[in-house]
């Protein structure tokens, strides 16, 4: 007896199935690829420079990387909304200049004052962005020049040294606690604060909602502009704190002190898997991304790569990471 086979050619995938497969692929790229990249890169650098994994060197790296990580945390909050801030490094530099200038008059309050300056700059960024209703990269490109010009004018385009013996907040930042640099503890504390904000507060929930669909979030009655303003203000706080940490580390402020941190900070966010179009990502991904950038920097230094050429490498890293993680269905909504 002949049996009729019911098996036929496999039907073509429906658009819904294709989108689902693409979503799985993109999720894998964002979740696993950065971790694998970090492991492979660390293995390569450690093989070339065995001293890299020594306790002393790792503590030095943690100390030196705190400003970069703080800027990356602030940028993460902005990118999660589908926006970007190109002025955070100039806010950090301006905060460093003013904190260094004020240390004689304000003493232990100079560091908090520097952070307050950064917070105010972030607030102004957010105010201009939400009131002018123009793309964030245009707004912050303009304030990039504004904060940079103020820092250059106040400092006469020169570094601003601080006393050799410093106390108060600056002195604390130069110290250690439990065998770990206080600058690194500051970064970890801000990591925890940012995580709580994003995961357990209304601000965090609406930041993700704005990144996923700003129009839908606005139509649901959410005061979108208010939450955008809060996000930019928080990013300014992180930048101000980064500037103060730089003063403590280098014993001086300067109008160009954080210039080299713009691309690495953005790269840390994107390489970690936070989508430039918003709505996907978080601080855990930024931590992984920052570690990748830090290890890459150590590797390039050991290989003798010029510091200017390193900026080229960071630019390529950003382009590749965006290509792999961007949500192309929202490409027209990048703002």
């Amino acid at each position: 007896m002949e049996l009729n086979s019911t098996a036929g050619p496999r039907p073509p995938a429906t658009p819904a199935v294709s989108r689902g497969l693409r979503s799985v692929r993109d999720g894998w790229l964002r979740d696993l690829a950065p971790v694998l990249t970090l492991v492979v890169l660390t293995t390569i650098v450690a093989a070339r420079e065995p001293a890299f994994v020594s306790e002393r060197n790792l503590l030095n790296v943690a100390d030196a990387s705190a400003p970069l990580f703080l800027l990356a945390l602030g940028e993460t909050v902005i990118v999660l909304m589908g926006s970007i801030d190109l002025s955070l490094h100039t806010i950090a530099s301006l905060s460093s200049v003013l904190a260094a200038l004020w240390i004689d008059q304000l003493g232990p309050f100079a560091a908090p004052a520097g952070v307050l300056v950064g917070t105010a700059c972030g607030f102004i960024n957010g105010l201009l962005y939400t009131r002018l209703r123009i793309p964030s990269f245009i707004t912050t490109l303009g304030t990039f020049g504004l904060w940079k010009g103020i820092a250059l004018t106040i400092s006469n385009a020169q570094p601003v040294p601080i006393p050799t013996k410093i106390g108060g907040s600056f002195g604390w930042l130069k110290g250690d606690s439990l065998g770990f640099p206080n600058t690194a503890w500051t970064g970890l504390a801000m990591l925890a604060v940012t995580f709580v904000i994003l995961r357990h507060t209304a601000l965090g929930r609406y930041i993700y909602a704005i990144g996923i669909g700003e129009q839908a979030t606005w139509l649901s009655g959410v005061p979108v502009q208010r939450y955008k303003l809060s996000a930019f203000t928080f990013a300014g706080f992180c930048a101000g704190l980064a500037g103060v940490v730089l003063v403590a580390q280098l014993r001086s402020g300067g109008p160009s002190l954080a210039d080299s941190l713009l691309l690495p900070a953005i790269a840390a966010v994107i390489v970690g898997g936070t989508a430039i179009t918003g709505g996907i990502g978080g601080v855990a991904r930024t931590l992984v991304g920052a570690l990748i950038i830090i290890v890459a920097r150590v590797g390039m230094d050991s290989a003798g790569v010029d510091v200017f050429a390193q900026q080229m490498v960071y630019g390529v890293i950003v382009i590749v990471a965006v290509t792999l993680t961007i949500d192309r269905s929202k490409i027209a909504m990048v703002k």
Side-chain angles (χ1 to χ4, degrees):
M1 181 174 62
E2 183 178 351
L3 296 176
N4 293 326
S5 174
T6 58
R10 181 175 297 178
T14 64
V17 172
S18 298
R19 285 195 299 270
L21 292 174
R22 186 167 59 251
S23 177
V24 171
R25 181 201 65 193
D26 292 346
W28 179 88
L29 283 172
R30 293 191 185 99
D31 293 338
L32 190 56
V35 177
L36 291 176
T37 301
L38 177 61
V39 171
V40 171
L41 195 58
T42 302
T43 302
I44 293 173
V45 173
R48 182 182 177 88
E49 294 286 340
F52 171 68
V53 293
S54 67
E55 179 182 355
R56 180 183 181 87
N57 186 68
L58 291 177
L59 289 175
N60 289 335
V61 170
D63 176 37
S65 304
L68 166 63
F69 185 57
L70 289 169
L71 287 177
L73 285 177
E75 196 70 64
T76 300
V77 175
I78 304 300
V79 171
L80 281 172
M81 296 191 303
S83 302
I84 197 165
D85 193 328
L86 301 177
S87 69
L88 289 182
H89 66 298
T90 58
I91 293 177
S93 295
L94 175 59
S95 296
S96 76
V97 167
L98 290 174
L101 285 172
W102 289 339
I103 193 169
D104 287 336
Q105 293 79 22
L106 300 181
F109 298 105
V115 177
L116 186 61
V117 168
T119 307
C121 291
F123 176 81
I124 293 172
N125 278 355
L127 197 63
L128 292 173
Y129 173 45
T130 55
R131 293 294 183 267
L132 298 179
R133 305 292 183 99
I134 57 178
S136 57
F137 78 91
I138 295 295
T139 303
T140 56
L141 188 61
T143 56
F144 167 109
L146 175 62
W147 309 135
K148 182 77 168 181
I150 294 174
L152 287 168
T153 301
I154 292 175
S155 65
N156 292 319
Q158 299 293 325
V160 182
I162 61 175
T164 303
K165 293 184 178 180
I166 54 176
S169 302
F170 291 112
W172 180 84
L173 284 169
K174 282 300 296 178
D176 297 339
S177 297
L178 303 177
F180 204 60
N182 288 334
T183 51
W185 281 121
T186 302
L188 291 175
M190 285 305 301
L191 172 68
V193 168
T194 311
F195 178 84
V196 170
I197 289 174
L198 290 177
R199 294 295 180 180
H200 301 288
T201 68
L203 173 59
R205 289 192 294 272
Y206 290 131
I207 282 174
Y208 278 99
I210 292 168
I212 294 171
E214 180 177 338
Q215 187 69 12
T217 304
W218 178 77
L219 290 173
S220 66
V222 175
V224 169
Q225 304 305 320
R226 182 193 307 170
Y227 286 111
K228 284 184 174 182
L229 178 59
S230 298
F232 274 87
T233 302
F234 178 78
F237 175 87
C238 292
L241 188 56
V244 167
V245 169
L246 283 169
V247 173
Q249 290 175 333
L250 304 177
R251 298 187 180 276
S252 68
S256 302
L257 206 59
D259 279 5
S260 63
L261 298 181
L262 173 62
L263 268 179
I266 295 175
V269 178
I270 307 304
V271 168
T274 296
I276 194 71
T277 40
I280 299 174
V283 293
R285 298 175 192 261
T286 297
L287 176 60
V288 174
L291 291 173
I292 291 173
I293 297 302
I294 292 163
V295 174
R297 173 182 288 179
V298 172
M300 288 188 289
D301 286 341
S302 66
V305 179
D306 184 82
V307 65
F308 301 111
Q310 291 184 21
Q311 294 296 310
M312 297 167 58
V313 174
Y314 296 137
V316 172
I317 289 174
V318 169
I319 292 172
V320 173
V322 169
T323 301
L324 293 175
T325 61
I326 193 171
D327 183 354
R328 286 170 176 79
S329 65
K330 295 163 61 179
I331 191 68
M333 297 174 60
V334 179
K335 45 198 179 296

